[in-house]
Amino acid sequence: MQAYERVKTARLSSRPTALDYIHSLFSGFIEFHGDRRHGDDKAIVGGIAWLSSIPVTVIGIEKGHTASERMERSFGAPEPEGYRKALRLMKQAEKFSRPVITIVDTSGAYCGVGAEKRGQGEAIARNLMEMSTLDVPIITILIGEGGSGGALALALSDRLWMLENAVYSVISPEGCASILWRDGSKAAEAAEALCLTASDAYSAGVADRIISEENLGSKEFYAALKADLRDEIEVLIGKEDLTELRYQRFRSFGRRENDL
Amino acid sequence: MLLSFEYKAKNELEKDGRSTAPLYGEKEIVCPNCHRTLKESEAESRLMTCICGHHFRIGARKRLGYMTDEGSFSELFGDIEASDPLSFPGYGEKLSKARDASGERESVIMGTAMIGGCPAAVFSMESLFMMGSMGTGTGEKITLLFEYARAHSLPVVGWTVSGGARMQEGLLSLMQMAKTSAAVKRHSDRGLLYITVLTDPTTGGVTASFAMEGDIILAEPGATVGFAGKRVIEETVRQKLPRGFQTSEFILEHGFADMVVSRIAEKETISSILALHGGKRNAGI
Ligand SMILES: [Zn+2]
């Protein structure tokens, strides 16, 4: 499949959303609200739940399925409050030694006057800093769109798993085409050039696994994913130098040979 | 010269004003804000600011010259060059143009220096190198500088100028936001100071990473500072943006900067802050 076909597939409203994953992979999910600063962003859902017998913190970017759900969820474009809520829940997870699972699906952080007033850049930056030393395992599943900094703000993790048709990119192909070639219709070429598919991310070492979409959304699909998630969490819980390994993981991207 | 007063910036790219070369005598600059014509030496003596308060964009090396003690700057990691990991169409050509225009190998230069007698690790971003965009070379250099400063217990002072992450390097340029943030955090966890000075423009992925991660955040007057691009926001909200939106003064008002400082008072302010953090012995007595 061409890169841009995958982009379009990743955006389909019929795909399972973060809440579908949360209800299928975990049991006893209790949703928590608010960033304790300004408000509650409905584009990000978060709370605690059981992964089999392990208590975990789950945070997802929710796009919604129907037109009204998508409006309410701001099409999965989080405001600063969403990122601050996510950080609050991650710090809470650290306090109670719960692993964190984030489910990412966004075209990007919300672009608006209010978002800028309330420090969208600062909110993302703060999450990146804090996640880099969060002393519990973090696994991210990128289920659809991984739109730039707005996606990364929940994805500075020990493991990144991508769905087969998920995409992860520094800019949307449309945005890239209009900036570089002043022609938004060249999005397909931009998508190719940006190397944004799951297999591109896997070969760059950014994604650790590519999850097959055969039976996407079926019972078997979730059961297999749940088993893998539990196994991986157990591996990560056993690691004493978790935050050092996380540092080295991101340190390696674009590393140049240069001795201090 | 007669035409110079008729000059008016028509878009963002022209906002720095036009440098007019007269037939004889000294080079003159027209301020895009008040339309005054300034002699270059006059502007220079005011650190490239106009009497009206307008701050002209300046290069990364010129800035370090203004802000650090004479002869104290010693460059680090200067051999790191921008690379083209995706063989992105047209990028190689853009890079060679950026190198020619700026004389630099990447969009940031750095090293160690003294500021008012206080030692610091410093970085300064270069607008003439692809508008200070963050490629893997940029992220690598910023990370190396924070690692160096951590190993040598130095504060970091950095001047940001950036259009954001550099799209021609794809996902790896996005990862630099994570990499640099992790390096800033490690430096911070050692109890070391980080001061950022936001200059025109600081946007996108740099705003959403190391620009906003300073313990103390200063901003130059009138600089554009924000996350999303103005055009993107206008298209999303379908309304005209308020006056002064995404400026230094705007982020100060909303609580995202500690102070807006004129370039003329900047060095003094930074050295006072460094001294208060133990940068100079017997300071304050
Ligand atoms: Zn002026």
Side-chain angles (χ1 to χ4, degrees):
Chain A
M1 206 190 289
Q2 301 284 304
Y4 198 49
E5 292 302 310
R6 295 205 194 267
V7 172
K8 287 192 270 188
T9 306
R11 289 173 179 166
L12 291 174
S13 61
S14 56
R15 285 173 75 83
T17 63
L19 278 173
D20 297 323
Y21 282 83
I22 290 173
H23 292 307
S24 308
L25 296 173
F26 309 99
S27 56
F29 175 63
I30 303 171
E31 188 180 352
F32 298 143
H33 293 276
D35 67 348
R36 305 295 192 270
R37 295 286 182 275
H38 176 82
D40 184 49
D41 180 19
K42 291 188 172 63
I44 291 190
V45 294
I48 53 175
W50 295 97
L51 172 64
S52 301
S53 59
I54 310 168
V56 294
T57 288
V58 190
I59 299 161
I61 304 178
E62 173 62 28
K63 282 184 173 176
H65 288 288
T66 66
S68 69
E69 279 170 6
R70 287 167 83 81
M71 284 290 281
E72 190 190 342
R73 302 286 182 185
S74 195
F75 301 88
E79 301 261 359
E81 296 75 62
Y83 294 114
R84 293 185 181 124
K85 170 167 70 177
L87 181 58
R88 180 176 76 80
L89 296 178
M90 286 189 272
K91 297 301 281 183
Q92 191 182 79
E94 185 180 47
K95 176 176 177 183
F96 298 107
S97 302
R98 282 193 292 265
V100 175
I101 290 124
T102 65
I103 299 168
V104 171
D105 187 14
T106 181
S107 60
Y110 188 73
C111 297
V113 175
E116 293 291 321
K117 276 186 184 169
R118 301 191 303 281
Q120 188 71 282
E122 191 274 345
I124 294 169
R126 189 68 45 199
N127 278 23
L128 297 178
M129 256 180 113
E130 294 298 330
M131 286 180 84
S132 74
T133 54
L134 198 81
D135 205 12
V136 287
I138 312 171
I139 296 181
T140 297
I141 310 174
L142 210 175
I143 60 170
E145 283 185 282
S148 196
L152 180 65
L154 292 184
L156 204 160
S157 336
D158 302 302
R159 297 286 185 270
L160 174 71
W161 295 354
M162 282 178 74
L163 273 280
E164 189 182 337
N165 288 311
V167 293
Y168 199 7
S169 185
V170 64
I171 187 170
S172 72
E174 293 83 2
C176 177
S178 85
I179 293 170
L180 282 185
W181 304 312
R182 296 173 204 285
D183 186 354
S185 69
K186 288 190 174 162
E189 285 159 62
E192 236 26 91
L194 285 165
C195 295
L196 45 62
T197 67
S199 64
D200 292 326
Y202 183 80
S203 34
V206 173
D208 303 283
R209 275 199 54 194
I210 303 173
I211 298 164
S212 163
E213 291 191 12
E214 210 184 326
N215 308 318
L216 177 68
S218 70
K219 264 198 174 126
E220 301 74 46
F221 171 82
Y222 288 119
L225 185 54
K226 181 177 173 174
D228 289 350
L229 207 49
R230 196 187 49 222
D231 290 349
E232 199 63 37
I233 286 286
E234 270 161 11
V235 168
L236 292 172
I237 285 172
K239 292 195 185 295
E240 278 188 12
D241 49 354
L242 189 67
T243 55
E244 174 63 26
L245 291 169
R246 193 181 303 144
Y247 186 82
Q248 293 307 334
R249 168 176 157 75
F250 286 90
R251 184 69 190 81
S252 71
F253 300 132
R255 185 192 268 281
R256 306 291 211 277
E257 293 315 314
N258 205 316
D259 295 319
L260 270 182
Chain B
M1 285 322 301
L2 282 172
L3 292 173
S4 64
F5 281 93
E6 292 166 26
Y7 167 78
K8 204 172 173 202
K10 288 175 191 67
N11 59 41
E12 189 74 10
L13 294 169
E14 294 175 1
K15 69 180 274 200
D16 254 9
R18 176 177 290 164
S19 175
T20 57
L23 292 173
Y24 53 86
E26 200 184 334
K27 202 174 155 194
E28 293 179 327
I29 306 162
V30 179
C31 172
N33 183 47
C34 71
H35 310 300
R36 258 189 202 93
T37 303
L38 297 159
K39 286 202 172 76
E40 197 172 32
S41 62
E42 188 188 352
E44 274 282 359
S45 70
R46 304 178 47 83
L47 310 189
M48 296 305 286
T49 64
C50 179
I51 298 141
C52 74
H54 176 76
H55 282 50
F56 293 94
R57 280 183 187 164
I58 55 174
R61 277 182 205 273
K62 176 171 265 198
R63 188 181 293 283
L64 287 180
Y66 288 157
M67 297 298 157
T68 62
D69 298 351
E70 207 181 335
S72 70
F73 176 62
S74 166
E75 189 164 0
L76 284 170
F77 315 118
D79 54 341
I80 291 176
E81 289 195 61
S83 66
D84 184 7
L86 305 180
S87 302
F88 196 98
Y91 182 39
E93 200 179 313
K94 277 202 175 108
L95 279 180
S96 72
K97 276 187 191 159
R99 278 190 286 261
D100 291 347
S102 66
E104 305 295 349
R105 292 175 175 172
E106 240 314 349
S107 61
V108 66
I109 59 164
M110 55 189 45
T112 54
M114 304 292 276
I115 300 174
C118 303
V122 295
F123 70 83
S124 178
M125 300 183 80
E126 176 56 65
S127 64
L128 292 179
F129 198 105
M130 296 187 76
M131 194 37 83
S133 62
M134 176 157 62
T136 53
T138 318
E140 179 71 5
K141 287 183 79 170
I142 295 284
T143 302
L144 283 167
L145 188 73
F146 277 91
E147 290 176 341
Y148 179 92
R150 180 175 178 261
H152 293 83
S153 296
L154 282 172
V156 175
V157 181
W159 285 267
T160 59
V161 180
S162 186
R166 193 178 299 156
M167 64 185 125
Q168 292 89 344
E169 293 186 29
L171 193 48
L172 285 181
S173 75
L174 182 68
M175 291 303 120
Q176 304 311 304
M177 290 170 64
K179 183 167 104 178
T180 54
S181 298
V184 171
K185 182 66 160 57
R186 283 195 151 192
H187 177 262
S188 177
D189 284 351
R190 277 280 168 91
L192 296 165
L193 174 67
Y194 172 32
I195 302 172
T196 49
V197 187
L198 312 176
T199 79
D200 188 56
T202 297
T203 60
V206 166
T207 296
S209 62
F210 60 87
M212 279 292 161
E213 291 169 349
D215 297 296
I216 293 161
I217 300 177
L218 312 179
E220 286 194 347
T224 291
V225 181
F227 173 64
K230 282 187 180 128
R231 221 176 343 139
V232 181
I233 298 173
E234 268 173 345
E235 280 165 19
T236 310
V237 301
R238 291 162 205 271
Q239 66 187 51
K240 277 296 261 182
L241 300 174
R243 257 182 87 84
F245 180 66
Q246 286 188 327
T247 58
S248 296
E249 293 74 15
F250 175 87
I251 67 158
L252 178 74
E253 186 191 335
H254 293 287
F256 291 95
D258 288 285
M259 55 199 294
V260 174
V261 190
S262 154
R263 196 176 288 156
I264 293 165
E266 211 173 290
K267 186 181 172 185
E268 183 64 35
T269 305
I270 293 166
S271 67
S272 302
I273 294 169
L274 289 172
L276 278 161
H277 288 80
K280 197 161 59 174
R281 274 188 207 146
N282 303 326
I285 296 170

